[in-house]
Amino acid sequence: MGNKENVYGEGNYDASRKYNDATKQFVQSGKVGKAARDAEPATEADALQMAAAEAEGKRRAKEEDPALARKDRKPNVPAQPDSKRSETAPEEPVAPQPGEEV
C-alpha cells in the first residue's frame, strides 16, 4: 500500500513506541521523585496560581472526574507556610474549588 513509516489512521506507531520507551526509561532511572519535588510550588502564591489555573481548566471540562469528588481529598495548598511570605498572597490562602469562579 505504500510507506508504512507514517501510519496515522490509528496514530503514529513509531512516535508512540518512542514515547513509551522514553517514559519507561525515565521511570526506571529513579528520577521521578526528584522531578515531582521540583514541580511543587515554591511559595503560597505559586500554589494559589496553580490552583487557579487548574480551576480554570476544569471549568471548561465536559464533566468532573468522579475521583475528585471524594470527601477525603485534601486541598492542593501547602500544609506548612513558606518562610518567605509573599507580599501579594493573602494571609489565609483559599484554593478555588472546581467550577468556582476566581
Side-chain angles (χ1 to χ4, degrees), residues 14-71:
D14 188 44
S16 293
R17 187 172 25 262
K18 286 179 182 177
Y19 172 80
N20 290 338
D21 290 344
T23 302
K24 184 177 179 180
Q25 187 178 20
F26 177 70
V27 170
Q28 291 175 344
S29 74
K31 297 178 183 177
V32 175
K34 182 183 181 321
R37 286 187 299 276
D38 290 346
E40 288 180 339
T43 64
E44 286 184 41
D46 287 347
L48 288 172
Q49 286 178 333
M50 291 172 121
E54 181 181 4
E56 176 62 19
K58 288 179 180 179
R59 187 176 68 81
R60 297 171 182 259
K62 196 169 193 177
E63 60 185 48
E64 185 68 32
D65 183 354
L68 298 177
R70 294 191 320 231
K71 294 185 185 218

